[in-house]
Amino acid sequence: RDEMSLAAAHDYAAMDEAGLVRHAKAGDRGAFRAIMQRWNQRLYRVARAVVGSDDEAEDVLQEAYLHAFAGLREFRGEAGLLTWLTAITLNEARGRLRKRRPTVDIDVMNEAEARIIPFPGRALPLDPEAEAERSQARLLLERAIDLLPPDFRIVFILREIEGCSVEAVA
């Protein structure tokens, strides 16, 4: 069966975690895509909390998904899938911090020469003035969070932003 017939045969959005894992382990890419869509925002925020950059967080998440997809057959389900994915994301983000090289801030680049491709799932702003206000508030909040020590920053994001339980954060 091809991917289209698999997608038509399964309602991934309504499927529980165990079902998604079962289908993804069987090679169903639609199930893995549904897993990514279900937890993408949370995992992105975790990566962003560690690396402190939107662009690098996107790279971290992409690598984390590659590792997760490659290692999914070894997922035993002792912890929840989100916990497993979060651990992979944290490991990738921390690994990037260890290998971090000096980078050029995007503000330094000439905007006319830069070709920026928006991250999938990001909505285009409808009201430029309101979007500018939200963007400024988001930047202020991100800067304040970035000033936290790394361990506190991760705990804050997982507990306060993502609403994870104390046990899951631990």
Side-chain angles (χ1 to χ4, degrees):
R1 295 195 312 196
D2 64 8
E3 193 170 332
M4 293 301 283
S5 64
L6 284 173
H10 303 294
D11 180 8
Y12 298 116
M15 198 175 290
D16 67 358
E17 182 178 299
L20 283 173
V21 170
R22 192 170 42 257
H23 284 280
K25 281 184 172 184
D28 184 346
R29 291 180 183 205
F32 194 79
R33 188 176 302 115
I35 289 168
M36 290 169 53
Q37 289 170 342
R38 190 172 288 184
W39 290 300
N40 193 60
Q41 188 175 23
R42 177 178 281 184
L43 295 171
Y44 171 81
R45 284 191 282 231
V46 167
R48 171 69 176 74
V50 175
V51 297
S53 155
D54 292 343
D55 294 329
E56 197 167 5
E58 291 169 8
D59 291 343
V60 164
L61 198 52
Q62 184 175 19
E63 285 297 317
Y65 283 139
L66 288 173
H67 290 294
F69 188 72
L72 188 60
R73 292 191 190 274
E74 284 79 43
F75 174 69
R76 296 183 304 271
E78 293 169 359
L81 183 62
L82 179 58
T83 303
W84 184 70
L85 291 169
T86 301
I88 292 171
T89 303
L90 284 170
N91 287 338
E92 179 63 29
R94 288 175 178 150
R96 290 221 174 204
L97 287 181
R98 287 189 293 273
K99 294 187 271 188
R100 188 173 269 176
R101 296 184 180 120
T103 58
V104 176
D105 192 9
I106 191 83
D107 295 335
V108 175
M109 295 176 63
N110 182 345
E111 287 184 19
E113 294 176 4
R115 293 183 182 181
I116 300 174
I117 301 171
F119 190 63
R122 281 195 183 161
L124 297 176
L126 299 177
D127 177 9
E129 193 171 308
E131 181 59 28
E133 289 173 5
R134 276 192 296 278
S135 180
Q136 286 178 343
R138 183 178 63 88
L139 284 173
L140 287 172
L141 183 59
E142 285 176 356
R143 285 184 188 139
I145 292 170
D146 288 345
L147 292 174
L148 292 170
D151 290 339
F152 292 155
R153 187 171 49 238
I154 293 168
V155 169
F156 176 81
I157 294 292
L158 290 173
R159 185 77 174 116
E160 298 301 322
I161 307 285
E162 297 302 327
C164 294
S165 68
V166 173
E167 294 80 16
V169 172

